[in-house]
């Protein structure tokens, strides 16, 4: 049962290969034929020695050359087809596996990305698929040739002279044992070198990205000492790896030379006694030199296969991961899924939101964040959520957006359980502006059109002007067609935030969510867009996770969050009168802002 489990990951990847089974079969057939022809070619050499050189004649040379060249051309053509199919197979598999992994990631809930780092997910999609694609294509291609060559060579040698064949075959176990021994050592050493190299790369990254911190703390000497230790370890392990690799290759070369020496010695004796012709001896010499590398490769291939099982299991585990938030088959049948939405069945969203007896606990949490929570949010209501950093202010927003499902109870949208309609339908009616803005690589126009792909130039300009993002675009060289780099790296955080606001406005959502969206903007810019935001929220249900409490005084409902739970709720005036948790937050922030103003204006 254990062995079956070990290869279950590979079995789950069979559907990817099934699509290209014809190409895969053609590659195998051509590779096997190439191996057969490669073992036949030395027989031409035998014929030339025994019939032309030994007899000192050129009779029949022309048809011999024609046949030999024809054999070479066929071999070349078969090798071209096999290698080209191999290359295509690898590219197709990489495309399909990465596409499947990426698309599946789009369907997973936020909880998956909270539990898995970007590097971990990236490794599944890129590194693991590369290893799998290489094994299924190039390793199978090389394996087919090597196995065919060894088997064909052994058969031909045994057919020509069994005793002379033993001179070659007897060395094979030595090569196999040496390969097994050194493969294990080289695998361990390679792993150590990669681990140390990762630490060195990390040191480079920290030294460059953290250069200002390092200089202000005056810790250059400590960073240099740590980097020197890592490079010294790399030197030791790399030298040891090189030593073992050189020794391994030397043993293989010795085995090949030993087999050749045995063939020359025993074959020379047989040739002198006229028991074996000179042409036959040359065939055995060719096989003695050529058979060792395929044997070595076979051992390496087994190690690669063992290693790729881990890649296959990790990739199949990703593809088998089910989202914590998913639509029922009935909902999918009516509303479609993420990649095939049935928009013709999507109803308009009015904007009423209700939490009905909601209890919620995060998937990796042990305590309930909400317990039997009830709240009605009519259309057009502004709900502000406040609290200290890390207090859990995003919980309600996560439930409204269906990033998570309630542990118990219901979140109602327009009087119906949100789970009765698709996630795609809900998300298409929500405008979400994050605290840390994210822009996609490309132009300003492309980023804005993610909010509304049918928006006209006039609508783009109106949306940008409403939040003063037009000033950002005006200073760019190519305006709306300016490339902003990966994650908008050519823009400041505040500028990216303004474009995020404009993108959300273009979507014309029924529900607005602002996750501390003005905390990354300077005070002057914040005042400029605050009035625009208030206008945009009119008539829309809005949830604002507030950083500056002065901006949410007019909210219809303020929810104060502390320790991951809602401890107070009410209007600004009501909460101030209670002199509770919200009052303390407000007074503290008011005093801090007053002190900052006094420092700016002496």
């Amino acid at each position: 049962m254990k062995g079956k489990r070990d290869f279950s990951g590979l079995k789950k990847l069979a559907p990817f290969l099934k699509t290209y089974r014809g190409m895969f079969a053609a590659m195998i057939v051509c590779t096997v034929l190439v191996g057969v022809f490669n073992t036949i070619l030395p027989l031409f050499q035998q014929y030339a020695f025994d019939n032309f050189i030994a007899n000192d004649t050129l009779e029949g040379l022309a048809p011999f050359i024609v046949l030999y060249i024809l054999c070479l051309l066929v071999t070349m053509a078969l090798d071209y087809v096999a290698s080209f199919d191999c290359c295509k197979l690898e590219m197709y598999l990489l495309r399909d596996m990465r596409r499947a992994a990426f698309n599946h990631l789009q369907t997973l809930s936020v909880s998956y990305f909270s539990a898995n780092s970007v590097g971990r997910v990236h490794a599944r999609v890129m590194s693991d698929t590369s290893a799998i694609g290489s094994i299924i294509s190039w390793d199978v291609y090389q394996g087919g040739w090597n196995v065919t060559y060894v088997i064909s060579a052994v058969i031909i040698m045994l057919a020509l002279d069994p005793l002379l064949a033993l001179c070659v075959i007897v060395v094979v176990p030595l090569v196999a044992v040496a390969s097994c021994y050194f493969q294990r050592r080289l695998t361990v050493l390679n792993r150590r070198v990669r681990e140390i190299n990762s630490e060195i790369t990390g040191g480079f990254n920290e030294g460059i990205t953290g250069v200002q911190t390092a200089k202000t703390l005056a810790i250059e000497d400590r960073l240099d000492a740590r980097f020197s230790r890592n490079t010294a370890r790399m030197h030791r392990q790399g030298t040891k790896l090189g030593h073992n690799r050189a020794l391994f290759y030397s043993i293989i070369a010795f085995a090949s030379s030993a087999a050749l020496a045995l063939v020359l010695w025993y074959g020379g004796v047989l040739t002198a006694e006229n028991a074996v012709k000179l042409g036959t001896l040359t065939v055995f010499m060719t096989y003695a030199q050529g058979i060792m590398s395929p044997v070595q490769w076979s051992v390496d291939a087994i190690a690669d296969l063992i290693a790729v099982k881990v890649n296959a299991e990790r990739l199949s585990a990703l593809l088998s991961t089910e989202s914590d938030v998913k639509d029922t088959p009935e909902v999918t049948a009516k509303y479609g899924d993420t990649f095939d939405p049935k928009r013709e069945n999507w109803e308009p969203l009015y904007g009423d939101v209700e939490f009905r007896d909601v209890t919620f606990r995060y998937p990796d949490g042990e305590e309930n964040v909400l317990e039997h929570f009830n709240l009605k949010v009519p259309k057009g209501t502004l709900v502000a959520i406040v609290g200290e950093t890390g207090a859990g202010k995003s919980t309600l927003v996560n439930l409204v957006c269906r990033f998570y499902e309630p542990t118990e109870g219901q979140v109602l949208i327009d009087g119906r359980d949100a789970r009765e309609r698709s996630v795609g339908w809900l998300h298409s009616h929500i405008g979400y502006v994050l605290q840390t803005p994210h822009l996609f690589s490309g132009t300003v126009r492309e980023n804005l059109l993610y909010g509304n792909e049918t928006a006209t130039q006039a609508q783009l300009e109106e949306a940008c002007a409403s939040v003063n993002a037009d000033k950002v675009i005006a200073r760019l060289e190519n305006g709306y067609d300016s490339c902003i780099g990966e994650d908008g790296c050519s823009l400041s955080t505040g500028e990216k935030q303004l474009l995020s606001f404009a993108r959300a406005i273009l979507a014309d959502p029924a529900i607005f969510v602002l996750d501390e969206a003005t905390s990354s903007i300077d005070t002057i810019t914040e005042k400029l867009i605050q009035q625009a935001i208030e206008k945009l929220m009119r008539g829309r249900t809005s949830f604002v996770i507030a950083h500056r409490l002065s901006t949410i005084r007019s909210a219809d409902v303020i929810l104060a969050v502390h320790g991951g739970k809602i401890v107070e709720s009410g209007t600004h005036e009501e909460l101030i009168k209670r002199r509770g948790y919200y009052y303390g937050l407000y007074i503290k922030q008011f005093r801090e802002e007053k002190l900052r103003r006094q420092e700016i204006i002496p």
Side-chain angles (χ1 to χ4, degrees):
M1 292 296 292
K2 186 176 180 180
K4 290 182 179 179
R5 285 198 302 271
D6 286 343
F7 287 95
S8 60
L10 291 172
K11 291 179 180 178
K12 289 181 180 179
L13 299 177
F16 292 106
L17 186 59
K18 185 178 180 181
T19 306
Y20 308 104
R21 56 185 179 273
M23 186 185 302
F24 184 75
M27 181 188 75
I28 293 293
V29 171
C30 290
T31 302
V32 169
L33 290 175
V34 170
V36 171
F37 274 97
N38 285 152
T39 52
I40 290 175
L41 288 175
L43 297 180
F44 282 90
Q45 179 180 304
Q46 177 195 27
Y47 186 87
F49 269 99
D50 294 343
N51 291 275
F52 301 129
I53 299 175
N55 296 330
D56 194 20
T57 180
L58 296 178
E59 186 179 351
L61 180 61
F64 172 83
I65 292 176
V66 171
L67 184 61
Y68 183 68
I69 293 175
L70 181 62
C71 187
L72 286 176
L73 291 174
V74 171
T75 304
M76 183 178 68
L78 289 170
D79 194 30
Y80 169 78
V81 173
S83 58
F84 185 54
D85 280 349
C86 179
C87 181
K88 289 195 297 181
L89 181 65
E90 181 185 26
M91 293 300 103
Y92 281 132
L93 289 174
L94 287 177
R95 181 196 66 182
D96 292 353
M97 287 189 293
R98 288 172 178 174
R99 182 181 294 172
F102 183 81
N103 287 351
H104 186 68
L105 286 169
Q106 308 309 304
T107 68
L108 297 180
S109 63
V110 172
S111 62
Y112 177 84
F113 299 97
S114 299
N116 294 275
S117 65
V118 174
R120 178 185 175 89
V121 175
H122 187 270
R124 299 294 177 274
V125 177
M126 301 303 293
S127 301
D128 288 345
T129 55
S130 292
I132 295 166
S134 178
I135 287 291
I136 294 178
S137 54
W138 292 107
D139 279 34
V140 171
Y141 166 72
Q142 294 176 350
W145 184 90
N146 286 317
V147 171
T148 302
Y149 185 87
V150 171
I151 294 174
S152 300
V154 169
I155 291 174
I156 292 174
M157 287 190 294
L158 289 173
L160 291 174
D161 192 301
L163 291 177
L164 194 56
L166 290 176
C167 293
V168 179
I169 298 173
V170 73
V171 184
V172 171
L174 172 63
V175 176
V177 171
S179 297
C180 289
Y181 172 76
F182 279 99
Q183 183 60 48
R184 286 195 295 269
R185 290 183 62 82
L186 292 174
T187 299
V188 172
L189 290 171
N190 263 312
R191 186 179 296 115
R192 290 177 184 171
V193 168
R194 287 197 302 269
E195 290 172 354
I196 298 171
N197 186 63
S198 297
E199 294 181 26
I200 291 175
T201 303
F204 263 118
N205 183 64
E206 288 183 354
I208 295 171
T209 59
V211 62
Q212 290 183 329
T213 303
K215 289 184 178 298
T216 54
L217 294 174
I219 57 173
E220 293 94 338
D221 55 338
R222 278 180 278 175
L223 293 177
D224 178 67
R226 187 177 69 176
F227 192 81
S228 297
R229 286 195 298 271
N230 286 335
T231 52
R233 288 171 56 211
M234 183 74 164
H235 174 265
R236 290 193 299 270
Q237 295 299 326
T239 302
K240 189 180 295 184
L241 174 63
H243 167 74
N244 280 270
R245 183 178 288 131
L247 184 59
F248 176 45
Y249 291 152
S250 298
I251 290 174
I252 298 299
F254 171 78
S256 180
S257 299
L260 181 60
L262 285 173
V263 168
L264 286 172
W265 168 72
Y266 186 61
V269 173
L270 294 177
T271 303
E273 297 175 353
N274 293 321
V276 171
K277 292 183 178 182
L278 184 61
T280 302
L281 181 59
T282 61
V283 172
F284 276 87
M285 291 171 61
T286 302
Y287 290 150
Q289 290 180 304
I291 202 172
M292 299 306 163
S293 180
V295 174
Q296 172 196 344
W297 181 92
S298 299
V299 177
D300 293 343
I302 295 173
D304 289 341
L305 183 62
I306 294 172
V308 84
K309 284 192 301 180
V310 178
N311 303 110
E313 287 165 1
R314 292 192 303 203
L315 180 61
S316 61
L318 167 60
L319 296 175
S320 300
T321 301
E322 293 189 2
S323 176
D324 295 331
V325 179
K326 58 182 180 180
D327 296 324
T328 63
E330 294 78 15
V331 170
T332 302
K334 180 179 179 181
Y335 294 94
D337 57 23
T338 304
F339 303 104
D340 187 22
K342 298 180 181 178
R343 298 181 184 273
E344 65 275 10
N345 295 332
W346 287 9
E347 303 95 340
L349 193 151
Y350 181 69
D352 287 340
V353 179
E354 179 182 356
F355 294 85
R356 182 177 294 177
D357 198 31
V358 171
T359 297
F360 177 69
R361 179 174 59 254
Y362 283 102
D364 56 348
E366 297 180 357
E367 296 184 1
N368 291 335
V369 178
L370 296 176
E371 289 185 352
H372 305 292
F373 176 71
N374 292 278
L375 177 67
K376 287 187 177 182
V377 183
K379 176 186 177 180
T381 300
L382 171 58
V383 179
I385 307 169
V386 302
E388 296 175 340
T389 301
K393 299 188 291 295
S394 298
T395 300
L396 257 67
V397 168
N398 288 335
L399 290 173
V400 171
C401 297
R402 277 194 77 188
F403 293 154
Y404 295 89
E405 301 281 31
T407 306
E408 297 177 15
Q410 296 175 304
V411 176
L412 306 180
I413 305 294
D414 292 348
R416 291 175 58 185
D417 192 321
R419 288 167 288 198
E420 294 181 11
R421 287 179 282 202
S422 69
V423 174
W425 168 84
L426 178 60
H427 289 173
S428 69
H429 290 95
I430 294 178
Y432 203 130
V433 180
L434 296 165
Q435 177 183 8
T436 303
H438 177 80
L439 297 178
F440 298 93
S441 58
T443 65
V444 172
R445 185 186 307 278
E446 289 169 343
N447 271 275
L448 294 174
L449 290 177
Y450 280 118
N452 180 3
E453 61 183 359
T454 62
T456 64
Q457 179 64 27
Q459 290 173 319
L460 293 179
E461 293 174 359
E462 182 182 356
C464 292
S466 66
V467 292
N468 293 291
D470 55 337
K471 297 178 182 178
V472 176
I473 298 171
R475 74 169 185 80
L476 299 177
E477 183 178 356
N478 296 315
Y480 286 87
D481 296 314
S482 300
C483 289
I484 56 176
E486 183 179 357
D487 194 24
C489 59
S490 63
L491 304 173
S492 69
T493 303
E495 290 171 335
K496 290 193 290 185
Q497 193 65 284
L498 292 176
L499 291 177
S500 296
F501 271 108
R503 183 174 59 192
I505 291 165
L506 280 168
D508 191 24
I511 299 176
F512 244 121
V513 176
L514 305 181
D515 188 352
E516 295 190 307
T518 59
S519 63
S520 301
I521 299 174
D522 60 86
T523 305
I524 297 175
T525 306
E526 180 185 7
K527 289 179 179 179
L528 289 174
I529 67 171
Q530 195 64 46
Q531 292 179 350
I533 292 175
E534 291 175 359
K535 292 178 182 178
L536 292 167
M537 287 182 178
R538 290 173 188 170
R540 292 185 172 95
T541 306
S542 303
F543 293 85
V544 178
I545 298 176
H547 175 71
R548 298 187 178 111
L549 302 185
S550 57
T551 63
I552 48 91
R553 294 181 59 174
S554 61
D556 299 298
V557 179
I558 298 175
L559 303 177
V561 180
H562 180 64
K565 297 183 178 181
I566 297 173
V567 293
E568 287 182 327
S569 64
T571 63
H572 172 76
E573 290 76 13
E574 291 171 346
L575 295 177
I576 290 295
K577 288 179 181 179
R578 292 180 192 173
R579 293 181 173 267
Y581 177 72
Y582 175 82
Y583 175 81
L585 282 178
Y586 186 81
I587 294 300
K588 178 182 177 182
Q589 192 172 107
F590 176 78
R591 288 173 178 170
E592 290 175 351
E593 291 180 356
K594 184 177 181 181
L595 287 173
R596 281 198 296 270
R597 286 195 297 271
Q598 290 175 348
E599 291 174 358
I600 296 173
I601 306 174

